[in-house]
Amino acid sequence: MIVLGIESSCDETAAALVEDGDKILSSAIASQVDVHHVYGGVVPELASRKHIEAIVPVLDEALSTAGISKEQIDAVAVTQGPGLAGALLVGFSFAKAYAYALDIPWVGVNHLEGHINSVFLEPDPPVFPFIALLVSGGHTGIYKVLSHTSIELMGQTRDDAAGEAFDKVAKMLGLRYPGGIIIEKLSMDGDPEKIKFPRPYLDKDKFDFSFSGIKTAVNRYIQTHEEEYKDQIPDIVASFQAAVVDVLSFKVINAALKTGCKNIAVVGGVAANSRLRDQVTRHSLKKGLKLHIPPISLCGDNAAMIAAAGYHHLMAGKKAKLNADVYSRAGYREMLRNGK
Ligand code: KG4
Ligand code: ZN
């Protein structure tokens, strides 16, 4: 079955063609980063407009790269939420109309479920049940994944998402949006042990996170070192990154040990971070756990992961109706069973 995936929840317009839920035929992504960076974050209204401009060219690119015609598409899977409502609506309305015109089934997909399913686009995927750490700009949580479409929330951030903390710290230091990749690069010239930022583990046996304290500690450091902080940026960001990565890797390994799951997955935009990748790799090896991290191209927002998740809903007989609507935040709990 060839599924067309469409994603437009934030600042990437993406279309992908995926066969049988795990074989990528094409994955096209138009990033809006250059539009938003001058504002230091995503401007929702601009995002919606850019999605409108990009959606048809991105779909054409996905079709031509895959070398297939639209008549060969069997179904459409589209991100339904969570995300920016106006941005979601562009992809969602487009997918609805496209499926209607081609007279093929379509389904709405939870964006988080999409990220979790990104590990199935690689050979040797995880065995159920497994633990997933989802770390992106909008979400940070730990999940027990029972099947492609049955996912239990074990804990999540009480304030900022990890990626959001990277972006906010970058902004405080006058660096470009999005901050994650820039902080990672600058950290290579810094000493991660130079400044002792807090590690907010909260309850070490639970899986909730809080990143606003680390962010505030960085801000306090900047304010109390007004004269010299500009010369210390590599050390500041390396120390910040080390604090965030310590907490993330501790919690995901601990979740696997507590639940007895032997497979873990790290997904989402922040999963591109090399310190996080290295640290979780080392710790999982030590504990005899099998780690699954998608390639960098599938960590950030993409439509292949949406097609992969959608395929399993379609195989289970799910079909969306024409009156279906997007959801920005609410509704996400309905789709993911809250395991707390
Ligand atoms: O999954 P994603 O593309 O979009 C959301 O669903 O949020 O994640 C974007 C987030 C941004 O906050 C970005 O700064 C962060 O992922 N990110 C990184 C890296 N690359 C992207 N954070 C740390 N290190 C990176 N290399
Ligand atoms: Zn995402």
Side-chain angles (χ1 to χ4, degrees):
M1 179 194 270
I2 297 179
V3 177
L4 165 66
I6 294 188
E7 153 67 36
S8 70
S9 65
C10 190
D11 59 348
E12 256 97 31
T13 321
L17 290 152
V18 175
E19 193 168 1
D20 297 335
D22 59 7
K23 187 163 160 257
I24 301 178
L25 305 179
S26 63
S27 177
I29 303 173
S31 172
Q32 306 177 359
V33 159
D34 289 342
V35 178
H36 300 288
H37 90 88
V38 282
Y39 303 98
V42 178
V43 183
E45 177 59 24
L46 284 180
S48 310
R49 291 180 195 202
K50 286 286 153 191
H51 284 306
I52 291 171
E53 284 170 26
I55 190 103
V56 173
V58 163
L59 171 66
D60 286 346
E61 186 189 331
L63 282 168
S64 69
T65 308
I68 68 164
S69 67
K70 59 181 187 303
E71 288 73 26
Q72 289 171 272
I73 301 171
D74 296 301
V76 181
V78 58
T79 307
Q80 189 166 7
L84 302 168
L88 285 163
L89 265 176
V90 177
F92 198 70
S93 311
F94 182 89
K96 200 187 268 194
Y98 202 72
Y100 182 72
L102 290 175
D103 195 20
I104 53 176
W106 67 288
V107 281
V109 170
N110 180 294
H111 183 79
L112 311 183
E113 213 174 83
H115 274 299
I116 290 170
N117 273 278
S118 64
V119 283
F120 292 95
L121 293 162
E122 284 293 289
D124 194 19
V127 177
F128 296 115
F130 65 90
I131 297 298
L133 167 67
L134 165 60
V135 256
S136 72
H139 305 276
T140 294
I142 294 208
Y143 301 86
K144 184 171 179 188
V145 186
L146 308 175
S147 76
H148 291 282
T149 54
S150 175
I151 298 164
E152 273 177 10
L153 176 65
M154 293 175 67
Q156 64 181 334
T157 184
R158 296 180 183 174
D159 39 59
D160 293 342
E164 191 180 355
F166 272 90
D167 296 339
K168 287 181 178 169
V169 163
K171 197 171 180 181
M172 279 176 209
L173 293 166
L175 306 171
R176 234 182 102 113
Y177 171 85
I181 182 80
I182 296 184
I183 287 184
E184 176 177 349
K185 285 204 177 119
L186 286 171
S187 293
M188 287 170 185
D189 299 321
D191 176 359
E193 292 180 7
K194 191 84 181 186
I195 307 157
K196 288 274 164 270
F197 290 127
R199 267 72 173 157
Y201 291 104
L202 306 176
D203 183 337
K204 274 201 159 182
D205 287 329
K206 296 223 168 95
F207 304 101
D208 281 353
F209 298 93
S210 168
F211 294 107
S212 68
I214 313 185
K215 187 189 66 187
T216 309
V218 176
N219 199 22
R220 205 173 310 119
Y221 188 88
I222 295 171
Q223 281 167 356
T224 51
H225 297 76
E226 227 176 310
E227 301 292 316
E228 63 273 35
Y229 90 85
K230 286 209 168 123
D231 300 324
Q232 302 175 352
I233 289 181
D235 289 339
I236 298 173
V237 293
S239 302
F240 159 77
Q241 178 177 262
V244 174
V245 167
D246 278 356
V247 176
L248 292 172
S249 49
F250 172 83
K251 296 251 177 194
V252 66
I253 300 286
N254 202 29
L257 298 177
K258 281 255 141 59
T259 53
C261 291
K262 289 277 168 229
N263 283 239
I264 59 179
V266 181
V267 298
V270 185
N273 185 276
S274 56
R275 188 178 177 95
L276 178 63
R277 296 172 85 92
D278 293 351
Q279 194 159 319
V280 183
T281 303
R282 272 187 284 110
H283 291 186
S284 38
L285 260 176
K286 230 188 264 170
K287 300 287 181 192
L289 303 169
K290 189 148 184 251
L291 173 65
H292 304 263
I293 307 188
I296 310 276
S297 59
L298 292 174
C299 289
D301 289 345
N302 66 86
M305 67 185 195
I306 302 301
Y311 168 79
H312 295 282
H313 283 295
L314 289 156
M315 291 307 279
K318 194 176 151 191
K319 275 185 198 167
K321 299 208 175 81
L322 281 178
N323 62 357
D325 201 359
V326 300
Y327 51 88
S328 52
R329 232 165 213 288
Y332 132 71
R333 282 181 186 279
E334 290 153 31
M335 297 194 63
L336 295 177
R337 279 202 284 131
N338 189 337
K340 272 204 283 192

